[in-house]
């Protein structure tokens, strides 16, 4: 049953042209991040600092663009059920509302993961294209990509559940906009404070940062991001199962 439901969600995504929103996520992140990364004097095209500026730009691009666009991606697919009586039709076919939310999250997860990885690869390609002589920092680069992906998926789960409970898409958009503000603010506060919200974990995923005006390399806060992912997975499972019991 889950396999058929997943195929149905992919068909809905194609009909709603969800790939355009995923492309927008990649393009906006790349535009904002590359603009910020390559415009700084630390991008000299030779030293390690050039890779660090691209890492900083990649993280900054997701911080700026992902919260609102992920909210839009999730609410658009879920809103199709509100407007077309999809919850009832799916329940009649044996797919309870909570299960349908999990299927939507899985389907959209492929879309968001693809956009995240492709954007990271684009930043890497830019670095090699301009001929940066320093070695590519593979460990930190992959770490940043995985951490950002984890935060993106957490926010996706949040907005799928929120959109399922609240029909008005403006609520999800408002939360996404607030998340953008919190994500930007988190880069200026200590890590324990940034970790209080899921959006703050974008700053914890950073693989480079400015300290006293100097660009320095750093490792992402893997434990904090992994903890967020675990808590979010547990809450998502509990909430979507509660949807099933309420409908039962």
């Amino acid at each position: 049953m889950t396999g058929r439901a997943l195929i149905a969600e992919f068909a809905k995504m194609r009909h709603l042209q969800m790939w355009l929103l995923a492309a927008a996520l990649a393009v906006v992140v790349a535009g904002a991040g590359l603009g910020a990364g390559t415009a700084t004097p630390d991008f000299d095209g030779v030293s390690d600092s050039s890779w660090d500026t691209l890492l900083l730009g990649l993280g900054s691009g997701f911080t700026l663009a992902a919260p609102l666009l992920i909210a839009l991606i999730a609410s658009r697919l879920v809103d199709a059920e509100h407007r077309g009586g999809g919850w009832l039709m799916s329940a009649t076919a044996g797919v309870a509302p909570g299960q349908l939310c999990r299927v939507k999250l899985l389907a959209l997860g492929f879309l968001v993961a693809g956009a995240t990885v492709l954007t990271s690869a684009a930043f890497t390609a830019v670095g090699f294209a301009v001929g940066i002589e320093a070695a590519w920092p593979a460990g930190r680069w992959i770490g940043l990509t995985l951490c950002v992906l984890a935060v993106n998926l957490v926010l996706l789960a949040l907005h799928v559940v929120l959109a399922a409970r609240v029909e008005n898409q403006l609520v999800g958009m408002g939360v996404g906009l607030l998340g953008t503000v919190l994500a930007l603010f988190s880069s200026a506060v200590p890590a324990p404070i940034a970790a209080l919200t899921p959006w703050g974990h974008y700053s914890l995923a950073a693989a480079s940062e400015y300290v006293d005006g100097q660009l320095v390399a750093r490792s992402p806060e893997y434990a904090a991001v992994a903890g967020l992912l675990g808590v979010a997975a547990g809450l998502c499972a509990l909430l979507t199962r509660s949807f099933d019991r309420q409908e039962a």
Side-chain angles (χ1 to χ4, degrees):
M1 183 63 70
T2 301
R4 292 198 295 272
L6 185 60
I7 292 173
E9 290 306 313
F10 280 125
K12 293 175 188 176
M13 286 163 53
R14 184 172 62 252
H15 174 71
L16 294 170
Q17 296 185 320
M18 300 295 295
W19 65 272
L20 287 175
L21 292 178
L25 174 61
V27 169
V28 174
V29 170
L34 286 173
T38 58
T40 175
D42 291 299
F43 186 79
D44 56 20
V46 177
S47 64
D48 289 332
S49 66
S50 294
W51 287 117
D52 288 333
T53 60
L54 289 178
L55 282 168
L56 186 65
L58 179 60
S60 299
F62 276 108
T63 298
L64 178 65
L68 188 57
L69 284 172
I70 287 176
L72 179 59
I73 288 170
S75 62
R76 180 170 174 80
L77 185 61
V78 176
D79 187 59
E81 309 304 329
H82 292 309
R83 292 191 297 173
W87 300 112
L88 180 59
M89 288 189 292
S90 295
T92 303
V95 181
Q99 183 182 1
L100 183 57
C101 285
R102 293 190 292 272
V103 172
K104 287 182 180 294
L105 177 58
L106 180 59
L108 290 174
F110 284 112
L111 201 66
V112 170
T116 303
V117 173
L118 286 175
T119 304
S120 177
F123 273 73
T124 303
V126 168
F128 283 114
V130 299
I132 298 177
E133 297 178 5
W136 179 56
R140 288 189 296 128
W141 202 286
I142 294 172
L144 171 65
T145 303
L146 292 177
C147 287
V148 166
L149 175 57
V151 179
N152 286 347
L153 293 178
V154 167
L155 295 183
L156 182 64
L158 167 66
H159 283 287
V160 166
V161 172
L162 178 62
R165 301 305 294 171
V166 182
E167 292 190 27
N168 191 339
Q169 289 190 71
L170 292 178
V171 174
M173 295 299 98
V175 173
L177 183 59
L178 175 62
T180 301
V181 174
L182 291 174
L184 293 172
F185 175 75
S186 67
S187 62
V189 300
I193 297 178
L196 294 177
T197 71
W199 301 277
H201 284 71
Y202 281 117
S203 67
L204 302 182
S208 64
E209 62 181 348
Y210 278 98
V211 177
D212 297 327
Q214 297 295 319
L215 182 63
V216 297
R218 55 164 284 186
S219 295
E221 301 283 349
Y222 297 111
V225 176
L228 172 69
L229 187 61
V231 170
L235 288 175
C236 183
L238 288 173
L239 289 172
T240 54
R241 286 172 184 169
S242 73
F243 295 170
D244 293 339
R245 290 194 297 269
Q246 289 171 10
E247 290 297 320

